[in-house]
Amino acid sequence: HLEKAQNPLFFYDNDCDGLCSFLILRRWLGRGKGVAVRSFPDLNAHYARKARELNADYVFVLDKPVISREFVEEIQRLGLPLVWIDHHNVETVDLENFSNLFVYNPARGLKEPSEEPVTYIAHKVVGRKEDLWIAVIGCIADHFMPDFVGEFGDRYKEFWGKVKEPFEAYYKTEIGKIAQAFNFGLKDSTTHILHLQNFLISCKGPEEVFLEVTQNSSFRKKYRDIRKKYNELLERAKKTVEGNLIFFVYGGDLSISADIANELSFLYPKKYIVVLYKKEGICNISLRGKNVKKILENI
């Protein structure tokens, strides 16, 4: 599919796994455009017009758990092949009659998502040694320790360390710092995300990510701004520890409840974490803890 595509359009989930899987395929292929998808949980029909605007001849969807039927119908009307690469265990029965849709998902037919994120799948498909650092970033950010971390550690010693768990790698290594920066950078405007992905397409290694150059200036600024706010919120959240529960509510213009909940879970692995981002009477809730999915179902 990649080799057939002369002007592919890549839709990727607006997180580190989505971005890194796009970068790996795009850097290998040397052509195509990327669009970060912010709609949740599905890829909805209004994104399909991008394929027409950009004159795409192929559409790839990376790390999106749900694609709306209307989106697939619109891509079919345009006469384009649609390649969907994912690792979530979602039902796709209503999409199986589309002859233009090709699904690659190791979790199909399983009750749980595949452990391997889409970044891992993409790296195994193309296997470029010079993109090993991007593959590691996408994997550890999705809480997965890939089988090529040893090779990465040997090659980029200053970016790795003696870590055994994905969260350790994410919070305690230099490559983890870059992974966090990618996640923060994806919270920027659409224009700045486009600047970021174009900069990363040309990056030769992790040592270039924070270089003070014009091409990444908006990314570095966004990272510094969010890092400052994030650290302040994290310190406030730590003060809410009570028994085996952390219950933290915050507001403002920055929704990063999942990021805060993840680090609290790393710092306090035996506690239940509840982080709520409150805006205009609506709360986004991020939960972490043992059997928390079952508890949520009961609620």
Side-chain angles (χ1 to χ4, degrees):
H1 291 295
L2 288 164
E3 287 168 342
K4 286 179 187 174
Q6 296 307 305
N7 186 31
L9 180 56
F10 296 88
F11 292 101
Y12 62 88
D13 193 27
N14 193 53
D15 68 5
C16 215
D17 183 25
L19 172 64
C20 289
S21 55
F22 159 68
L23 290 173
I24 286 168
L25 299 181
R26 171 61 179 80
R27 283 162 62 101
W28 175 81
L29 188 60
R31 54 186 182 267
K33 297 178 178 68
V35 175
V37 179
R38 284 178 164 160
S39 62
F40 180 84
D42 67 343
L43 175 57
N44 58 45
H46 98 100
Y47 278 98
R49 73 169 189 265
K50 279 282 184 187
R52 187 170 55 249
E53 289 170 6
L54 297 170
N55 200 28
D57 67 341
Y58 241 98
V59 175
F60 293 82
V61 177
L62 309 171
D63 194 37
K64 283 301 294 180
V66 184
I67 297 180
S68 74
R69 186 179 179 87
E70 292 75 21
F71 176 85
V72 182
E73 286 172 344
E74 188 58 34
I75 297 300
Q76 187 177 56
R77 265 194 289 273
L78 294 170
L80 304 179
L82 174 56
V83 181
W84 183 12
I85 310 171
D86 191 42
H87 67 123
H88 301 90
N89 58 324
V90 294
E91 190 56 69
T92 60
V93 171
D94 63 331
L95 300 178
E96 287 177 0
N97 293 326
F98 289 94
S99 58
N100 68 319
L101 177 63
F102 304 89
V103 181
Y104 298 92
N105 187 339
R108 288 184 92 185
L110 302 179
K111 292 183 179 180
E112 294 292 330
S114 164
E115 286 188 4
E116 297 95 345
V118 178
T119 297
Y120 180 86
I121 298 167
H123 182 67
K124 287 294 183 177
V125 168
V126 301
R128 267 171 47 112
K129 298 291 185 187
E130 52 267 58
D131 293 342
L132 187 64
W133 62 283
I134 297 174
V136 168
I137 288 172
C139 287
I140 63 172
D142 222 52
H143 202 239
F144 178 74
M145 195 71 98
D147 50 17
F148 42 76
V149 290
E151 183 183 353
F152 172 80
D154 291 341
R155 189 168 176 179
Y156 299 100
K157 287 183 173 63
E158 68 275 25
F159 288 91
W160 199 239
K162 294 182 178 179
V163 292
K164 295 181 180 179
E165 298 293 332
F167 263 168
E168 266 190 306
Y170 189 70
Y171 292 115
K172 289 189 170 184
T173 66
E174 288 300 306
I175 199 68
K177 180 181 176 183
I178 296 174
Q180 292 174 62
F182 281 12
N183 268 331
F184 290 164
L186 286 165
K187 299 182 192 301
D188 211 338
S189 67
T190 301
T191 301
H192 286 166
I193 290 173
L194 189 61
H195 292 164
L196 171 61
Q197 71 179 34
N198 290 341
F199 166 67
L200 293 174
I201 285 168
S202 64
C203 257
K204 291 185 171 59
E207 66 283 350
E208 293 189 0
V209 172
F210 290 124
L211 283 180
E212 294 195 8
V213 293
T214 307
Q215 297 94 312
N216 69 356
S217 59
S218 58
F219 161 63
R220 285 185 287 109
K221 182 181 184 304
K222 190 67 175 180
Y223 171 68
R224 286 195 303 268
D225 291 348
I226 293 183
R227 171 56 70 187
K228 184 182 177 187
K229 292 177 184 176
Y230 176 85
N231 288 345
E232 290 170 358
L233 289 168
L234 187 66
E235 290 308 308
R236 281 171 51 195
K238 289 177 183 177
K239 294 173 183 175
T240 69
V241 178
E242 205 169 309
N244 70 339
L245 178 68
I246 296 176
F247 191 94
F248 178 58
V249 186
Y250 74 102
D253 59 354
L254 184 63
S255 176
I256 48 173
S257 55
D259 303 87
I260 295 168
N262 282 340
E263 186 155 1
L264 289 171
S265 181
F266 170 68
L267 295 170
Y268 305 96
K270 294 183 179 179
K271 296 188 186 299
Y272 286 97
I273 315 293
V274 184
V275 178
L276 301 96
Y277 171 66
K278 194 173 184 179
K279 187 175 183 180
E280 297 173 356
I282 301 291
C283 277
N284 290 340
I285 308 174
S286 293
L287 302 172
R288 304 291 184 272
K290 189 177 180 182
N291 295 326
V292 77
K293 283 185 180 179
K294 192 69 181 173
I295 294 168
L296 181 60
E297 285 173 13
N298 291 340
I299 291 170

